[in-house]
Amino acid sequence: MANTYQKTGAAIETLTPEQFHVTQESGTERAFTGEYWDHFADGIYVDIVSGEPLFSSKDKFSAHCGWPSFTRPLEDEHVKELTDTSHGMRRVEVRSKHGDSHLGHVFDDGPGENGLRYCINSASLRFIPKAELEKQGYGEYLKLFEGN
């Protein structure tokens, strides 16, 4: 049976003020203050609101920018990209598809084949360690960590 990911009032009520500001008001946490900016344990990152899988630690890298950075989404169908012209800039905003949470922005200055850097707010994410994937309903992603 496939997981159903959605935004619920109950999930919104559990958010801290910063998580709410980032995910629901398209805010940005201060650089080098988020829980995951310098976090490199094996596991996946899911939307703090909907639980949809967004990024893998396998695609995380240190961009020295103060926010978690990834080269690509874990599942393209869980991420949507929108034009953002706020703050006098033209950027590409990244949002979760089902939770409609603001995650951060994607830039074309990353490493690897696609050259992308998904610069994501820690406040929009929940980390699920490799050892907890099966227990928390994300067992299908264990294959990413075979041999680790």
Side-chain angles (χ1 to χ4, degrees):
M1 183 170 126
N3 289 332
T4 302
Y5 305 109
Q6 61 184 358
K7 178 193 289 192
T8 65
I12 298 300
E13 288 176 10
T14 67
L15 298 176
T16 67
E18 179 155 51
Q19 291 167 335
F20 184 87
H21 175 64
V22 168
T23 63
Q24 305 306 299
E25 300 173 334
S26 298
T28 301
E29 65 197 10
R30 287 188 14 228
F32 303 103
T33 64
E35 183 176 3
Y36 303 123
W37 77 269
D38 194 26
H39 179 262
F40 290 95
D42 282 344
I44 66 169
Y45 297 83
V46 302
D47 180 350
I48 196 147
V49 173
S50 68
E52 61 198 288
L54 300 170
F55 299 97
S56 167
S57 62
K58 293 291 192 183
D59 300 311
K60 192 170 190 295
F61 68 98
S62 181
H64 308 289
C65 64
W67 292 277
S69 296
F70 303 88
T71 56
R72 65 187 182 104
L74 179 57
E75 302 281 356
D76 287 336
E77 63 265 20
H78 292 297
V79 175
K80 58 185 177 179
E81 297 178 6
L82 306 168
T83 300
D84 176 3
T85 57
S86 65
H87 307 290
M89 297 180 269
R90 184 175 179 86
R91 303 179 290 178
V92 178
E93 179 188 15
V94 181
R95 297 186 77 85
S96 61
K97 181 177 180 182
H98 302 287
D100 194 34
S101 296
H102 170 74
L103 305 173
H105 292 87
V106 62
F107 302 98
D108 62 2
D109 62 357
E113 293 177 15
N114 67 10
L116 298 177
R117 173 175 56 99
Y118 286 81
C119 186
I120 306 299
N121 291 283
S122 293
S124 66
L125 303 173
R126 180 169 65 91
F127 178 72
I128 302 175
K130 177 177 102 173
E132 292 285 319
L133 290 173
E134 188 74 46
K135 180 180 174 185
Q136 293 194 35
Y138 299 91
E140 67 192 271
Y141 297 105
L142 278 168
K143 65 183 180 261
L144 297 173
F145 306 99
E146 289 176 356
N148 284 8

